[in-house]
Amino acid sequence: MPWHTEVVTDTTPHVRQRPVPTPTASAPDRSLRGYRRALVVLTLAVAAWGAVWAVVTPPFQAPDEQNHLNSVLRLAYGGGWPAPGDAYFSPAVVDAVDEAAYHSDPPGRWVHRSDARQFVDADPVPRDERTRVETTTALGEASSGNDVDQMTQHPPLYYALGAGLLQATSLTDARWDQAMLALRLLDVLLLALVVPLAAETARRVTGSPSAGLVAAAFPLLLPQLGHIMGAVNNDALVLLACAVVTYLASRVVTGDLRWRVAVAIGLAVGLGLLTKVMVAFALPTVGVAYLLARGRPWPARLGRVGVAVGVAGVVGGWWWVRNVLTLGAVQPVGLPRDPATVAQVPDAEVPSLIVEKLAQAFFGNLSWLEVRIPGAWVVAGSVVLIAAGLVALVLPGARRAAAALLLLPGGLALGVAYNAWDAHAVTGGLVAVQGRYVFGGVPALAAVVAVAVWQLVRRSERRLALAVPVFATLALTAAVWGIAWAFEAFYRGPGESVGDAVDRWLAWSPLEAVPLLVLLVLAGVAFVAALVATVAWPNRLAAPRPGPGSVKDDR
């Protein structure tokens, strides 16, 4: 029987080699097919998870959701994209906010306010009596006296996509909660598209399909991600754009220096910049990926960076240049904040509070950051992510790729921290410390965690295959726990039974009981299928051929 060698790391400093049988010619193909099937199942599980979040979160109990809905409706009804500060809430959205009991505290709020209206005391408006969006109520005007919708401080791509969905589904003329659910499910679709991109990033930098499956399951560990991606929020398109850039950067740092990859990177960054300026934080990842790549001389690599940046500027960067030239700021303020309404924070406490609030909001601050995930989850999750980053950076095998990928979440976190610090100098308080602003780095974090697991099993595909069902089981368990925690925090009042909470949920939902039950059953099937697929993965995995990710291929 012919033999080849597989590099294995021992506990001693030296590297030894041992013979392993060469697989049959068809084994790699079977392994790849099995990987793709498992990846599809995990992607469906993440989509189902997001869909359940979309029906569990009460209307407008996610950051700025009324603004996002309002801006989508404006475009859907031909209201254009006014200058920042000149867009107003429509009568339909004003009525919807009132009908949803927006100005009330959910029962799981971190501090109970006895003097505030409680969500559990509000009477749900029957579905057939809820406001319908129509021509006369879909557009807001300054003369109406309604508040400013500040979302025109961003470019309109996400809102145009949402408007197109409502028009394609004839939901422009529908109840507000039906239109909202459709837009929430659009964000769930965008989240689902991220999963294979994260998986392929991990597989690219390690050469391991098992690492790809670890990365695919990673999003399920973040309750806040499900909450935000199951709401109407332009961060969903930012996440997808950053996922595309992350995957393409992983190709670059591992040697794919074709011109079309540089053009594709520019297109992805440019389209992302037509959604939010945060996508600009992907550019350092792109630059470092080309810097660390091998196979071309410096001028050739710099030329590709120039092409990527140039295409990004032509596609979407012009929006922000225009802002500077016409409005005097990269991102103008759509709704100035009144410093008198901001709680004051002493200068000495600012750094620690930024770190604490950002970590908390990254893992799970639901609603308008009112419902806080247990601190143990935040501490454990933060420690794991930091440790994974260190392992991926220190141990040989994928250090180059890890260094490039970690720049995106790291840059986003630093950007949020700087913005909060800068605002503190003006207002004396801490504002905009939102974990969702770092979600563009989730695909990179998923890949880095997969790299760390790959390193901890000493880069053995067989051992990593055995770790896949363990990791996936933990992720699926965390996903179920997060939804159960959110359900109680939103719907179950003090001293009430689960049945009381279910009744309240059914009354507020845009869906009747039967469609909700069907959705839950399908989600359960998707979760079970993901569990079965990952448990069966080690048995279906064929012995891999030598490929990228060896000790000598330090990516």
Side-chain angles (χ1 to χ4, degrees), residues 285-311:
T285 286
V286 174
V288 171
Y290 277 105
L291 173 69
L292 298 178
R294 296 186 176 122
R296 294 280 182 176
W298 273 95
R301 283 183 278 166
L302 290 177
R304 285 157 176 78
V305 173
V307 167
V309 173
V311 172

Side-chain angles (χ1 to χ4, degrees), residues 307-320:
V307 167
V309 173
V311 172
V314 170
V315 174
W318 62 268
W319 177 277
W320 306 99

